[in-house]
Coordinates of all heavy atoms in Angstrom, one line a residue:
M276 N -20.4 23.0 -163.7 CA -20.6 21.9 -164.5 C -22.1 21.4 -164.3 O -22.6 21.3 -163.2 CB -19.6 20.8 -164.2 CG -19.5 19.9 -165.4 SD -18.3 18.6 -165.2 CE -17.3 19.0 -163.7
G277 N -22.7 21.2 -165.4 CA -24.2 20.8 -165.4 C -24.2 19.3 -164.9 O -23.3 18.6 -164.9
N278 N -25.5 19.0 -164.6 CA -25.7 17.6 -164.1 C -25.4 16.6 -165.1 O -24.8 15.5 -164.9 CB -27.2 17.5 -163.7 CG -27.5 16.4 -162.7 OD1 -26.5 15.9 -162.1 ND2 -28.7 16.0 -162.6
D279 N -25.7 16.9 -166.5 CA -25.4 16.0 -167.6 C -23.9 15.7 -167.7 O -23.5 14.6 -167.8 CB -25.9 16.6 -168.9 CG -27.4 16.5 -168.9 OD1 -28.1 16.0 -168.0 OD2 -28.0 17.0 -170.0
E280 N -23.1 16.8 -167.6 CA -21.7 16.6 -167.7 C -21.1 15.9 -166.5 O -20.2 15.1 -166.6 CB -20.9 18.0 -167.8 CG -20.9 18.6 -169.1 CD -21.9 19.6 -169.3 OE1 -22.9 19.7 -168.6 OE2 -21.7 20.5 -170.2
N281 N -21.8 16.0 -165.3 CA -21.3 15.3 -164.2 C -21.4 13.8 -164.3 O -20.6 13.1 -163.9 CB -22.2 15.7 -163.0 CG -21.5 16.9 -162.2 OD1 -20.3 17.0 -162.3 ND2 -22.3 17.7 -161.4
R282 N -22.5 13.4 -165.0 CA -22.7 11.9 -165.2 C -21.7 11.4 -166.1 O -21.2 10.3 -165.8 CB -24.2 11.7 -165.8 CG -25.2 12.0 -164.7 CD -26.6 11.8 -165.2 NE -27.6 12.1 -164.2 CZ -28.8 12.4 -164.4 NH1 -29.3 12.3 -165.6 NH2 -29.6 12.6 -163.5
W283 N -21.4 12.1 -167.2 CA -20.3 11.7 -168.1 C -19.1 11.6 -167.3 O -18.3 10.7 -167.5 CB -20.2 12.7 -169.3 CG -21.1 12.4 -170.4 CD1 -22.2 13.2 -170.9 CD2 -21.1 11.4 -171.4 NE1 -22.8 12.7 -172.0 CE2 -22.1 11.5 -172.3 CE3 -20.4 10.2 -171.5 CZ2 -22.4 10.6 -173.4 CZ3 -20.6 9.3 -172.5 CH2 -21.6 9.5 -173.5
M284 N -18.8 12.6 -166.6 CA -17.5 12.7 -165.9 C -17.3 11.6 -164.9 O -16.2 11.0 -164.9 CB -17.5 14.1 -165.1 CG -16.1 14.8 -165.1 SD -15.3 14.7 -166.7 CE -16.2 15.9 -167.6
K285 N -18.4 11.2 -164.2 CA -18.3 10.0 -163.3 C -17.9 8.8 -164.1 O -17.0 8.0 -163.7 CB -19.7 9.8 -162.6 CG -19.8 8.6 -161.7 CD -19.6 8.9 -160.3 CE -19.8 7.7 -159.4 NZ -18.6 6.9 -159.4
L286 N -18.5 8.6 -165.3 CA -18.2 7.4 -166.2 C -16.8 7.5 -166.6 O -16.1 6.5 -166.5 CB -19.2 7.5 -167.3 CG -19.0 6.3 -168.4 CD1 -20.4 6.0 -169.0 CD2 -18.1 6.7 -169.5
F287 N -16.3 8.6 -167.1 CA -15.0 8.8 -167.5 C -13.9 8.4 -166.4 O -13.0 7.7 -166.6 CB -14.6 10.2 -168.1 CG -15.5 10.5 -169.3 CD1 -16.0 11.8 -169.5 CD2 -15.8 9.6 -170.3 CE1 -16.7 12.1 -170.6 CE2 -16.6 9.9 -171.4 CZ -17.0 11.2 -171.5
L288 N -14.2 9.0 -165.3 CA -13.2 8.8 -164.2 C -13.1 7.4 -163.8 O -12.1 6.8 -163.5 CB -13.6 9.7 -163.0 CG -13.4 11.2 -163.2 CD1 -13.9 12.0 -162.0 CD2 -11.9 11.6 -163.4
L340 N -18.6 16.8 -176.5 CA -18.8 15.6 -175.6 C -19.8 14.7 -176.2 O -19.6 13.4 -176.1 CB -19.2 16.2 -174.2 CG -19.6 15.1 -173.2 CD1 -18.4 14.2 -172.8 CD2 -20.1 15.8 -171.9
Y414 N -24.9 4.7 -165.6 CA -24.5 6.0 -165.2 C -25.5 7.1 -165.5 O -25.3 8.3 -165.4 CB -23.1 6.4 -165.9 CG -21.9 5.7 -165.3 CD1 -21.6 4.4 -165.7 CD2 -21.2 6.2 -164.2 CE1 -20.5 3.7 -165.1 CE2 -20.2 5.6 -163.6 CZ -19.8 4.3 -164.1 OH -18.8 3.6 -163.5
I416 N -26.6 8.2 -168.3 CA -26.0 9.1 -169.3 C -27.2 9.7 -170.1 O -28.1 9.0 -170.5 CB -25.1 8.4 -170.2 CG1 -23.8 7.9 -169.4 CG2 -24.6 9.3 -171.3 CD1 -23.0 9.0 -168.7
P417 N -27.2 11.1 -170.2 CA -28.2 11.7 -171.0 C -28.1 11.5 -172.5 O -27.5 12.2 -173.2 CB -28.0 13.2 -170.7 CG -26.6 13.3 -170.3 CD -26.2 12.0 -169.7

Side-chain angles (χ1 to χ4, degrees):
M276 205 180 342
N278 204 18
D279 287 357
E280 276 102 337
N281 268 337
R282 288 178 183 163
W283 275 113
M284 216 44 73
K285 172 104 179 76
L286 180 148
F287 297 142
L288 291 174
L340 172 64
Y414 287 88
I416 296 298

